[in-house]
Amino acid sequence: MAMTCNEVWREVSNYIDDSISPAMRKQVELHLSYCRHCAAIIDGVHNIITLVADGRVFCLPAGFSARLHARLKSEL
Ligand SMILES: [Zn+2]
């Protein structure tokens, strides 16, 4: 059964941290292959993480996570 956007977002931190099960990863990737909305947001999150890893950004803006979740809630 296909995942909904909300289900994808429950797994997204595991997905990005690579602590997701292979079966769940497959489901998330399947969803991302047809849901441009989630794919675009994942891209954005990856960009932020890349910036952090590069040392160009040392911390996320305060409240970033809360704002991201609020935005997801309002858009999904
Ligand atoms: Zn989606």
Side-chain angles (χ1 to χ4, degrees), residues 1-8 24 26-28 30-31 34:
M1 199 175 97
M3 296 175 90
T4 64
C5 293
N6 279 321
E7 283 165 345
V8 169
M24 191 62 90
K26 232 179 167 177
Q27 289 292 303
V28 171
L30 178 69
H31 182 93
Y34 63 76

Side-chain angles (χ1 to χ4, degrees), residues 4-5 8-9 31 35 37-38 76:
T4 64
C5 293
V8 169
W9 283 99
H31 182 93
C35 180
H37 180 76
C38 287
L76 297 178

Side-chain angles (χ1 to χ4, degrees), residues 65-75:
S65 176
R67 283 202 306 273
L68 179 63
H69 281 122
R71 190 172 150 218
L72 290 171
K73 244 185 200 163
S74 69
E75 289 188 7

